[in-house]
């Protein structure tokens, strides 16, 4: 069983629950409930921004992502440095984007703070953060 005191929640997990995704709602809601009992759930500004797209006003997203349930943390400077290194590798491997991908910020935040990352889309995280501990469909209990 994976142990952690803090778990960073990827935006795709939150969106699955908020949008009641047909394929992923049950898994994502179950994992959120399970980890809320074991650890502190955390989001950062990147995750908040990705989820906010579906809301018309800040009051609505504040209700959907209550700070009493999801601890909000800023992105550490060390994570920003790691994002730059991941983006450089991405470009060297032929990536076409001109600015760092949100997943780089999310993965780097979890990596430099030692948090687990709860996600259902682990492929990019595995590629750029191979030592990052992930909770994902293939490994979740």
């Amino acid at each position: 069983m994976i142990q952690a005191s803090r778990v960073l929640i990827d935006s795709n997990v939150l969106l699955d629950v908020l949008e009641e995704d047909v394929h992923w709602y049950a898994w994502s809601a179950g994992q959120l409930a399970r980890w809320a009992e074991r650890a502190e759930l955390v989001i950062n500004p990147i995750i908040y921004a990705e989820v906010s797209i579906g809301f018309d006003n800040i009051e609505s997203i504040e209700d959907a992502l209550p700070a009493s349930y999801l601890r909000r943390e800023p992105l550490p400077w060390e994570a920003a440095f790691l994002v730059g290194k991941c983006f450089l590798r991405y470009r060297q491997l032929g990536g076409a984007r001109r600015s760092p991908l949100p997943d780089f910020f999310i993965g780097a935040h979890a990596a430099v703070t030692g948090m687990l990352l709860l996600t259902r889309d682990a492929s990019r995280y595995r590629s750029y953060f191979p030592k990052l501990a992930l909770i994902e469909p293939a490994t979740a209990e």
Side-chain angles (χ1 to χ4, degrees), residues 3 5-6 9 17-18 25 29 36 46 50-51 56 64 71 73 75 82 87 94 109 113 124 131-132 139:
Q3 298 285 331
S5 61
R6 298 178 334 129
I9 310 301
V17 173
L18 294 170
Y25 175 82
I46 306 302
E50 286 189 312
V51 173
D56 293 331
R71 177 182 170 87
E73 290 191 3
L75 189 72
L82 183 54
F87 182 64
H109 187 176
T113 58
R124 181 169 288 130
K131 294 180 183 176
L132 181 59
T139 63

Side-chain angles (χ1 to χ4, degrees), residues 102-116:
D103 287 352
F104 290 163
F105 289 94
I106 295 166
H109 187 176
V112 303
T113 58
M115 283 190 273
L116 289 173

Side-chain angles (χ1 to χ4, degrees), residues 124-139:
R124 181 169 288 130
Y125 296 116
R126 273 198 214 100
S127 296
Y128 289 92
F129 306 97
K131 294 180 183 176
L132 181 59
L134 300 172
I135 305 160
E136 44 109 2
T139 63

Side-chain angles (χ1 to χ4, degrees), residues 28-133:
S28 293
Q31 290 300 315
L32 282 172
R34 179 173 293 124
W35 286 98
E37 293 177 2
R38 299 178 182 175
E40 183 175 42
L41 305 182
V42 179
I43 61 172
N44 65 28
I46 306 302
I47 296 162
Y48 187 97
E50 286 189 312
V51 173
S52 75
I53 293 169
F55 292 86
D56 293 331
N57 55 58
I58 196 163
E59 293 80 12
S60 296
I61 191 171
E62 289 293 318
D63 288 342
L65 303 178
S68 61
Y69 185 70
L70 297 163
R71 177 182 170 87
R72 296 159 186 215
E73 290 191 3
L75 189 72
W77 290 100
E78 297 84 0
F81 180 82
L82 183 54
V83 168
K85 296 304 174 196
C86 290
F87 182 64
L88 177 62
R89 182 169 171 239
Y90 165 83
R91 293 287 296 184
Q92 289 170 338
L93 293 172
R97 299 266 177 105
R98 306 289 257 159
S99 59
L101 305 167
D103 287 352
F104 290 163
F105 289 94
I106 295 166
H109 187 176
V112 303
T113 58
M115 283 190 273
L116 289 173
L117 177 61
L118 174 58
T119 184
R120 67 165 165 75
D121 186 17
S123 61
R124 181 169 288 130
Y125 296 116
R126 273 198 214 100
S127 296
Y128 289 92
F129 306 97
K131 294 180 183 176
L132 181 59

